Amino acid sequence: RGQELSLEKLSQALCLCSDVDEQLKQLVSLFQFSENERKLRELLVTLLQEVFFEFFPGCEVLPFGSSVNSFEVHGCDLDLFLDLEHTKTFQASARKPQEEKQSEDKAAMDTLSEDKAALDTLSEDSILSDVDLESASASEILELIAAVLRQCVPGVHGVQALTSARLPVVKFQHKESLLQGDISINNRLAFCNTRLLQLYAEVDDRVRPLVYTLRYWAKQKELAGNPFGGGPLLNNYALTLLVLFFLQTRSPPVLPAVAQLKELADEGEKAIIDGWDCSFPKDSSKMEPSCNLENLRSLLAEFFHVFTDYDFASTVISLREGQAFPLKDILASETSSMLKLGALNIQDPFELSHNVAGNVNEKIALRFQSRCRDAAKYCRSLQYQRKSSKGKTWGLVRLFQRGDNTEISITEEGPAAGDGLVIYLPSPLLVLTEEQRRKLCGTEGVQQLCFQKVCTALRFVLQDVLKCSVSQDEDNENMANAEQAVLREEVPCVGAKRILAEEDSSVPDSKRPRLEAVSTREEKVSWHCTICHKVWLGRRKMRRELQRNAAPSLLQDVDSLQVEAEVTEAIRQQEHGSGPAQPLLMFRVCIVSAGAASQDCRTSLCFTPFQDPVALFQDFFHFLQVFLPKTVMKHIKKHGLNSSV
Ligand code: ATP
Ligand code: MG
């Protein structure tokens, strides 16, 4: 997810620029979507719109967040808001008694902007006839959306309704492009603040280069970018607001305050959402260009300078007013006094009672200031300001280097799924026939059996195929014990095993598992892994070469896992010969079963780097995203679900 480009390649491209301003602009070109990436997202939105419209007449699928807010990076997630307002109106009118209905139907239909013919298809057997959208809970609606995605949208997998998350969403992945999508239903404000960011990006062309640069800097310094929300780091939205606030407070300002924008909104642009005033113009051409003429190089240096000694804890940053207020003033105001105050207080531009940085703890806020201090100091050097004539790194490149702060804060808080990058593995049950699956689904211990098989296969792939060293996470003995129990088959997966054993007449009676009580808890283990070789680099080429050189007779019955292990070995030889290799990257993988409630037995793997001195984790993770699901499944298929571990 996110910045796929390695720091190495990025640095090469930036060093070719002629000055720092060009480097900032170049960063945008390197990270923004290509025409094809944009088209792909548009096509996916259109597909979803068409399918959902069948089930939720009048609904609208509206993209928001980084896909459309002008600050996209390759592979960023696709945030979607499914607007069901019109569907609710229609459903309410369809459910009214006939006589009331006839007079109101016309009015309701007129409010629907979409294809009326499609609305006529709403019949008794529609999915909507079972659910009243007005009274249904958000969880029920999200489950419904998940069901539609699973059953009716081609090319989509990994569908999961996260109904208890801070912002409940349905997650999915588009198979072909590996694009991760999130669908939410009560998110009109986010749709609106996305448009505000777009507008600011249009108003002044210094906004995008600065935001991209500061997002990347903050990510490199482990200050921002919680990949799945949660955790103590700044999220991209909060960081972007901080940059916009900085530009509002230059003298003269580069950007107007949100309150000033409101004055420019005409009648059609006035909007109140959830009680908050969200009026601002749609069109940036109404706005006067700024008289501020500072260049990008000095604005960036000033950003670091301003926030080095900023009193974050006793002020509230208000983009609405384009000023920072002392806490006591804020506490006196009725709406703002509801703000959850913390180490960093950035008031949402519309939802004034919301601190978008409320999750940031004191440690991260202090670290933010300290990294700003280092950066401000570096920005005063000639190395920042001028291109090196001796081919040394200069300008932004050194700002992005991790330097001596390679320690990664997020792992200090322990392995929480919210901190890492996640890969979903498909259910091992997929290796069975349709009939076997039907028999097994929902049986006692099927979850544990699947989990046990996935752990075994995963360990094999990491250890034997990719030559990582794998050990149990010492910080997490409970988890390790759980894994041991699973591997020793103490955890009862007997119901499922019995069915499989009955199917398999080769298993002697004495070996058939006994039927015991069944635990339905969520399974979870955590491993520490070290990798010493870039096993993802040049893999395809190496595989082709090995296959070309293999004797034709050997190719007939190839074990593809064996081939992959040989490919790794060849890469290892190429990198280091037979000499010893140093650890390149250390990471933790936390393996969690889909949970007792779920019937499909998928597993999530949460990867968190804890030593990554040369910033390889992103590249390695992207490789694993494709490699792991297929090789783990190959292992399970080869050994069967019923074999002993
Ligand atoms: P990326 O996905 O690249 O991290 P993003 O801007 O899409 O960037 P998300 O975390 O996916 O960030 O959030 C999507 C959108 O949800 C944001 O653009 C913003 O509109 C809204 N949002 C996110 N976090 C908050 C927050 N803390 N408060 C209010 N709105 C938020
Ligand atoms: Mg996003």
Side-chain angles (χ1 to χ4, degrees):
R1 192 186 111 104
Q3 288 112 346
E4 284 185 61
L5 202 61
S6 70
L7 182 58
E8 224 171 302
K9 287 201 187 119
L10 183 76
S11 306
Q12 282 167 5
L14 293 181
C15 282
L16 293 175
C17 294
S18 55
D19 59 27
V20 178
D21 276 44
E22 198 186 318
Q23 285 189 326
L24 272 107
K25 291 180 200 152
Q26 175 71 353
L27 203 71
V28 179
S29 316
L30 290 168
F31 283 136
Q32 70 186 357
F33 292 155
S34 65
E35 202 44 46
N36 282 346
E37 278 172 286
R38 194 174 298 285
K39 275 209 190 101
L40 176 81
R41 280 166 197 256
E42 283 167 9
L43 284 173
L44 193 54
V45 173
T46 310
L47 170 73
L48 292 168
Q49 171 71 55
E50 277 172 13
V51 175
F52 281 123
F53 201 83
E54 290 283 315
F55 293 94
F56 303 106
C59 74
E60 266 190 282
V61 177
L62 301 167
F64 69 97
S66 53
S67 290
V68 283
N69 67 8
S70 316
F71 306 113
E72 77 277 4
V73 296
H74 303 299
C76 68
D77 61 358
L78 174 64
D79 300 296
L80 298 171
F81 163 46
L82 180 63
D83 185 354
L84 294 171
E85 269 321 297
H86 289 324
T87 317
K88 285 181 190 166
T89 316
F90 182 76
Q91 192 186 39
S93 106
R95 281 170 179 245
K96 289 240 166 91
Q98 205 54 35
E99 57 288 5
E100 267 181 68
K101 208 178 137 211
Q102 275 166 1
S103 62
E104 284 181 20
D105 250 8
K106 191 175 170 303
M109 293 289 267
D110 288 346
T111 64
L112 301 171
S113 53
E114 298 291 347
D115 181 6
K116 290 189 177 129
L119 301 179
D120 293 337
T121 61
L122 185 74
S123 64
E124 279 306 297
D125 58 354
S126 152
I127 198 162
L128 272 186
S129 51
D130 300 332
V131 181
D132 175 17
L133 288 180
E134 206 57 68
S135 62
S137 66
S139 311
E140 284 166 336
I141 301 178
L142 288 173
E143 290 294 354
L144 200 62
I145 292 169
V148 172
L149 271 177
R150 277 193 198 106
Q151 287 161 32
C152 308
V153 183
V156 153
H157 72 164
V159 178
Q160 209 185 6
L162 301 183
T163 52
S164 55
R166 210 169 20 136
L167 175 68
V169 290
V170 179
K171 290 201 164 288
F172 66 89
Q173 188 173 42
H174 182 241
K175 272 190 220 157
E176 191 79 12
S177 59
L178 296 179
L179 237 165
Q180 295 278 353
D182 280 359
I183 301 183
S184 51
I185 47 172
N186 297 318
N187 224 355
R188 203 172 290 279
L189 276 168
F191 178 63
C192 196
N193 65 40
T194 295
R195 279 193 24 237
L196 178 74
L197 299 196
Q198 270 172 353
L199 182 78
Y200 273 132
E202 275 172 34
V203 168
D204 194 290
D205 58 12
R206 288 167 288 184
V207 172
R208 289 186 80 211
L210 275 172
V211 170
Y212 272 85
T213 303
L214 286 160
R215 277 189 178 199
Y216 190 70
W217 167 79
K219 194 174 172 79
Q220 288 299 99
K221 302 291 168 189
E222 310 299 341
L223 298 165
N226 300 319
F228 290 90
L233 302 188
L234 270 163
N235 68 32
N236 275 331
Y237 176 62
L239 181 61
T240 307
L241 291 186
L242 190 65
V243 182
L244 298 177
F245 168 76
F246 164 75
L247 294 173
Q248 287 176 336
T249 48
R250 299 304 298 156
S251 178
V254 176
L255 296 175
V258 178
Q260 289 168 291
L261 291 178
K262 181 188 156 188
E263 300 307 317
L264 298 173
D266 60 30
E267 270 316 303
E269 292 162 341
K270 297 213 160 104
I272 305 286
I273 298 173
D274 298 344
W276 302 109
D277 193 335
C278 300
S279 314
F280 63 92
K282 284 201 174 73
D283 184 359
S284 61
S285 62
K286 281 187 190 166
M287 290 148 72
E288 293 286 315
S290 163
C291 333
N292 180 308
L293 298 176
E294 287 172 280
N295 65 19
L296 288 169
R297 188 190 73 195
S298 64
L299 281 172
L300 182 66
E302 276 301 302
F303 177 93
F304 296 128
H305 175 69
V306 166
F307 291 114
T308 294
D309 292 314
Y310 206 84
D311 192 358
F312 283 119
S314 31
T315 42
V316 171
I317 286 171
S318 159
L319 280 94
R320 181 108 210 145
E321 303 303 332
Q323 319 177 28
F325 293 104
L327 281 191
K328 62 176 175 22
D329 294 2
I330 286 289
L331 295 173
S333 122
E334 208 181 305
T335 38
S336 307
S337 64
M338 283 144 60
L339 268 181
K340 177 189 162 208
L341 296 171
L344 187 55
N345 306 301
I346 305 175
Q347 187 180 41
D348 189 85
F350 300 125
E351 192 183 359
L352 301 181
S353 63
H354 177 50
N355 175 8
V356 302
N359 62 310
V360 175
N361 64 20
E362 205 186 331
K363 188 165 139 190
I364 300 298
L366 286 174
R367 178 176 300 166
F368 184 82
Q369 289 190 306
S370 143
R371 300 295 179 258
C372 280
R373 185 170 301 115
D374 298 344
K377 188 172 161 207
Y378 167 65
C379 288
R380 287 193 291 272
S381 71
L382 272 182
Q383 225 168 2
Y384 168 65
Q385 296 171 16
R386 283 206 215 128
K387 181 172 174 133
S388 160
S389 53
K390 296 183 187 138
K392 289 193 179 153
T393 54
W394 62 280
L396 292 189
V397 177
R398 288 184 62 103
L399 206 55
F400 294 151
Q401 279 166 0
R402 295 206 165 179
D404 54 6
N405 45 42
T406 46
E407 114 276 14
I408 287 179
S409 63
I410 49 178
T411 55
E412 291 162 17
E413 330 290 310
D419 291 338
L421 297 177
V422 176
I423 295 174
Y424 290 101
L425 294 182
S427 165
L429 297 179
L430 292 177
V431 304
L432 300 174
T433 64
E434 183 83 38
E435 205 189 325
Q436 285 172 321
R437 256 206 315 272
R438 221 171 319 116
K439 268 194 196 167
L440 263 187
C441 256
T443 43
E444 297 168 337
V446 68
Q447 291 268 340
Q448 288 89 343
L449 174 69
C450 289
F451 185 68
Q452 174 192 320
K453 294 295 165 188
V454 167
C455 285
T456 310
L458 183 67
R459 194 183 262 270
F460 178 83
V461 172
L462 289 173
Q463 216 166 251
D464 298 71
V465 177
L466 293 178
K467 319 285 180 198
C468 282
S469 76
V470 179
S471 61
Q472 271 160 13
D473 196 336
E474 283 160 21
D475 300 347
N476 235 305
E477 241 174 68
N478 288 341
M479 281 194 195
N481 291 340
E483 183 202 3
Q484 282 300 307
V486 166
L487 293 181
R488 288 197 305 270
E489 303 196 17
E490 281 169 10
V491 174
C493 31
V494 284
K497 282 215 145 191
R498 182 174 50 78
I499 291 186
L500 284 165
E502 275 164 9
E503 296 267 311
D504 181 357
S505 54
S506 64
V507 178
D509 270 355
S510 59
K511 291 257 170 84
R512 294 196 176 185
R514 286 161 299 124
L515 203 60
E516 286 165 12
V518 168
S519 85
T520 49
R521 69 194 156 84
E522 185 185 61
E523 304 295 341
K524 195 169 175 180
V525 297
S526 177
W527 299 336
H528 266 182
C529 306
T530 305
I531 190 151
C532 301
H533 314 275
K534 292 183 196 158
V535 292
W536 58 96
L537 277 189
R539 203 168 174 91
R540 203 175 305 159
K541 191 167 159 227
M542 187 62 84
R543 191 182 299 121
R544 266 202 312 268
E545 265 172 34
L546 286 180
Q547 280 167 348
R548 205 177 308 129
N549 297 337
S553 59
L554 288 179
L555 281 175
Q556 290 191 340
D557 193 24
V558 281
D559 171 350
S560 55
L561 291 171
Q562 178 60 29
V563 172
E564 291 303 331
E566 282 166 20
V567 172
T568 305
E569 187 52 39
I571 293 176
R572 198 153 86 145
Q573 289 286 336
Q574 197 179 45
E575 261 185 50
H576 293 285
S578 47
Q582 294 300 315
L584 267 185
L585 164 68
M586 287 174 157
F587 59 96
R588 178 180 281 136
V589 51
C590 184
I591 310 153
V592 186
S593 69
S598 165
Q599 298 291 314
D600 66 1
C601 299
R602 280 172 316 130
T603 313
S604 69
L605 311 176
C606 178
F607 290 84
T608 325
F610 60 89
Q611 265 191 35
D612 184 16
V614 273
L616 292 173
F617 178 66
Q618 289 281 344
D619 289 353
F620 181 51
F621 178 77
H622 282 294
F623 158 71
L624 290 183
Q625 270 184 317
V626 180
F627 188 79
L628 276 186
K630 53 182 191 200
T631 35
V632 166
M633 286 306 273
K634 268 181 198 156
H635 183 277
I636 294 172
K637 199 166 182 178
K638 183 173 163 197
H639 294 275
L641 260 186
N642 192 28
S643 64
S644 60
V645 190

